[in-house]
Amino acid sequence: MSSLRRFFVEKIESPLVIDGEEFRHAVSVLRIKEGEDIIVCDGSGLEYLSKVKKINKKDLEVEVLSSAESDVEAKTDVTLIAGYLKGDKTELVVQKAVELGAKKVIVFNSEYCSSYMNENKLARLNKVSIEAAKQCGRAIAPKVFYEDTFKGALMDGEGCENKLFACEFATSNEVDFKNLKGSTAIVVGSEGGFSKEESELATSMGYKTVYLGKRILRAETASIALLGIIMHSLGELE
Ligand code: SAM
């Protein structure tokens, strides 16, 4: 199924109609044809093999033929919780988080954050997530959420079995990567990093410190590198 074009919808209905941005992309960029087989995903992890029955002015009518569980999705839920970055660097982080298999991405504002989120930017990040999911053949395009406070972002990691906090002023690792198992939340700061108070708040909320060595990594490097380490530790890169 992987070579077929992939589209994301909110819900699989019958009859199934693809409209909006996905319709525009299908018709004007991909030049999709009536009778063509496609894959439709609703974010559940299932892939729906479907056929394009009719191309209308503003939507595609699609017939669902069969469904199957995607074998591409990570078995373990990993959530990346990252400070909002300048320019389009957060788009890069979202794109790599999707390729590496994260299930959710939360972008947050914190004391030393110097960039500000708005609705258009958040919509753009979710578009990047869908594009990245299509490119790497995933059945889930992780939703990107925004938290205007650091405490709110930390609370989003509650319920994960492992809560990790990449701290630039840590001197050792509190995490045993060799035996990492279960749902995991990873917190990485923005360009300005964290204040001591934010670090203490994370620790008080049960986050374990992650140390990535003596060099200070760029925020986007830290997010991507740490996601790679964790996905490998969880056996999700096999
Ligand atoms: N402003 C900080 C400074 O100058 O020390 C640097 C922040 S760094 C650019 C952005 C984020 O990447 C940090 O908040 C941390 O989450 C992560 N990070 C970077 N280098 C790290 C390291 N060696 N160990 C752990 N985390 C690191």
Side-chain angles (χ1 to χ4, degrees), residues 85-114:
L85 302 177
K86 289 180 195 142
D88 58 4
K89 289 189 286 188
T90 305
E91 290 183 22
L92 174 77
V93 169
V94 167
Q95 185 186 63
K96 300 317 168 198
V98 173
E99 290 171 46
L100 286 165
K103 277 288 178 359
K104 195 159 74 167
V105 179
I106 291 149
V107 176
F108 63 79
N109 179 31
S110 60
E111 209 172 322
Y112 300 153
C113 257
S114 48

Side-chain angles (χ1 to χ4, degrees), residues 166-168 188-194 210-213 215-217 219 222:
C167 183
E168 66 273 22
V188 178
S190 65
E191 291 96 346
F194 293 115
V210 171
Y211 174 56
L212 292 169
R215 292 176 297 281
I216 296 292
L217 308 178

